[in-house]
Amino acid sequence: MLLHVRRALPLFRSGWGVCRCPTGSHPVLTRSAHVRGFPAASASDASLVLCSRSTDVYQNLALEDWIDANVDLQKRSVLLLWRNRPAVVVGRHQNPWTECSLPAMREAGIPLARRRSGGGTVYHDLGNLNLTFFTSKKAYDRRRNLKVVTDALRLLQPGLDVQATDRFDILLNGHLKISGSASRLSRKSSYHHCTLLHSADRSALSAVLRPSCPGIQSNATPSVPSPVANLVDHAPTLQWEELLDAVARQYNTEFALSALSTFINPEDQSVFPGLSEAAAELQSWEWTFGKTPKFSVQSAIKLVDGKFSGTARLHLEVKNGVMESCGLDVPSDWIPPRLSGELSDMLVGERFCRHRAAAALTAALRCESGELHKRLHKLCEAVLSAMG
């Protein structure tokens, strides 16, 4: 494949800004390539710095998997730079109901995505830079990758105290997290991705990164809460453009490369055949929620109606996001035992999802009237609230 190079274009259109390099430096990221097919390696340097034009979380996660599956990483290394519109991304083996506030996300219109790598849950927005280092499995070295980031930051802002940890996070001033890591190793290839908080919305991050449902018991991988900070909180003059340029420059320095930036559009099916289908799979309920490790829910439900006050107990077993069994123990003087049994049966086989469960319970409400209907409605609402 031929690589057709045009004159320099602004760095990262679609909101990335224009690259401005420090005085006297030679721009690394101000050269771009128009690609009709994936960029071919030159004889002298098989490395690439790829810059995604997309800010869609599903497209960019699918792009990672596409590169891992379709590029010969035995012969070339790749650095992918990308960012997303607001989104929450959980790790491959995590439970979204314990990791994030699904009601708050629905209200704010923030999507949920599950990546194929492990690790913890992260909040993405346009103030967060994502970096993915692709190599052969043999060359996989997370510590060296993080050194690219910390060295770039020190060169830009010598006063910043940034250090990589044994958990492969990057801390500012010894305790404020500005970057987290995750990775995926295949038989021959690997990729390691990390975040870098430049100017993310920390209030949105705090609002969405809290549990949806109490009472969940699971062996899913939990996130480790940490205090976070933005780089601009401690280096107000640090611009996006110089950060991107410094990271790409340091990548070349650390690995003795001479990679130029190539701008890519994951939506281009002529370049990335099959990527849109992969993005659709990542967006599906079956992947996002259905891949959650098996878990159980035990919840106490307060029942109050006039002088009556009691407690119902809900026990659910959920596998592949579907309720396998349901136990609903309700005081007999609240509703007849037959009704609590019917409600339990209606939930078995349904997704652990408020909307699907509500549709299943509607039939029970239609069959009752008067005071019993009112109490049954309160019980159904309480059961649904236990699902986040």
Side-chain angles (χ1 to χ4, degrees), residues 328-367:
L328 188 55
D329 183 12
V330 186
S332 59
D333 48 354
W334 178 265
I335 62 172
R338 66 170 179 84
L339 276 180
S340 58
E342 288 176 9
L343 291 180
S344 297
D345 292 342
M346 289 174 177
L347 292 175
V348 173
E350 288 292 340
R351 292 177 178 176
F352 186 71
C353 164
R354 285 179 63 102
H355 300 298
R356 293 288 285 266
L361 296 175
T362 299
L365 291 172
R366 290 200 192 105
C367 298

Side-chain angles (χ1 to χ4, degrees), residues 143 145-155 160 162-164 169-171 178 250:
R143 190 166 299 281
N145 295 339
L146 294 182
K147 185 175 182 292
V148 169
V149 180
T150 55
D151 284 355
L153 290 174
R154 292 188 191 110
L155 287 171
L160 285 178
V162 288
Q163 300 290 336
D169 298 329
I170 297 177
L171 298 185
I178 59 171
Q250 195 59 36

Side-chain angles (χ1 to χ4, degrees), residues 124-158:
H124 288 183
D125 66 15
L126 296 178
N128 173 75
L129 175 63
N130 298 286
L131 308 92
T132 311
F133 298 83
F134 297 86
T135 64
S136 66
K137 187 175 181 180
K138 183 178 180 180
Y140 172 76
D141 190 339
R142 282 197 289 181
R143 190 166 299 281
R144 197 172 180 190
N145 295 339
L146 294 182
K147 185 175 182 292
V148 169
V149 180
T150 55
D151 284 355
L153 290 174
R154 292 188 191 110
L155 287 171
L156 284 175
Q157 297 280 335

